[in-house]
Amino acid sequence: MKTLRTRTSHVLTVVLMLLGVTTAATAQAAPQRLAASTTICSNSPIPAGWVVTSSYSSWGCPGTGVSYTITDTAGQTNLTICSFSPKPAGWVVTSSYSSSNCAGSGVAYGFHNVANDTSAGVCSMSPIPAGWVVTSSYSSSNCVGTGVAYTLFKITTQTSAVVCSFSPLPAGWVVSSYYPSSNCYGSGVAYSIRKA
């Protein structure tokens, strides 16, 4: 009886050890999620929602000789990115300036998530999020490259607005009148728009 208990105990121990090894091997084989920031070679694909926060010469990247530091935008509000970085939807360029941290272009952008905003000041090269319009434009030294900034306004809760003539018109909106405006640097024309 004692021998049977001892053997059963040994068999149980071996089975448990094998299960532990299998579990450990499975855990090691699972793909790992990227950290909030990581370094890649410039010819690697950039995951959706990630941006290039710096670029530099690297002997570790044959073919291009350039590495990127990339950062996940999830949970972020403000970042500094290189001008050639992908620009996820819902983010705007708030400033641009010369930067030695962006080998290749030499220009960095202040980048801001407007998810919780209703207005924003942006550089004219900024993407304009869906549901936003340009309400004014003006000369700005904070926007190296174009020298022009825009005031954006979110109109998703509005039924009418005044916008610059070069502003995107959201789906379902129409121009009801237009007139000269010094608030629209570049075109000098403003539109009154309304929800159709």
Side-chain angles (χ1 to χ4, degrees), residues 58-113:
S58 172
W59 60 266
C61 289
T64 65
V66 176
S67 285
Y68 290 164
T69 300
I70 60 171
T71 300
D72 189 354
T73 59
Q76 303 283 340
T77 303
N78 294 294
L79 289 166
T80 298
I81 66 170
C82 293
S83 60
F84 50 80
S85 174
K87 294 163 188 69
W91 286 75
V92 294
V93 175
T94 56
S95 63
S96 65
Y97 50 91
S98 296
S99 174
S100 59
N101 288 334
C102 293
S105 72
V107 176
Y109 289 164
F111 207 44
H112 176 70
N113 185 341

Side-chain angles (χ1 to χ4, degrees), residues 184-195:
C184 294
Y185 178 82
S187 73
V189 176
Y191 289 162
S192 291
I193 63 172
R194 63 180 172 78
K195 205 166 190 177

Side-chain angles (χ1 to χ4, degrees), residues 10-21:
H10 288 311
V11 169
L12 186 57
T13 302
V14 169
V15 168
L16 290 174
M17 286 177 61
L18 286 173
L19 284 174
V21 169

Side-chain angles (χ1 to χ4, degrees), residues 7-47:
R7 287 187 182 180
T8 304
S9 172
H10 288 311
V11 169
L12 186 57
T13 302
V14 169
V15 168
L16 290 174
M17 286 177 61
L18 286 173
L19 284 174
V21 169
T22 303
T23 303
T26 303
Q28 288 176 356
Q32 294 182 352
R33 188 183 184 304
L34 293 173
S37 289
T38 193
T39 301
I40 63 171
C41 291
S42 61
N43 57 351
S44 297
I46 297 171

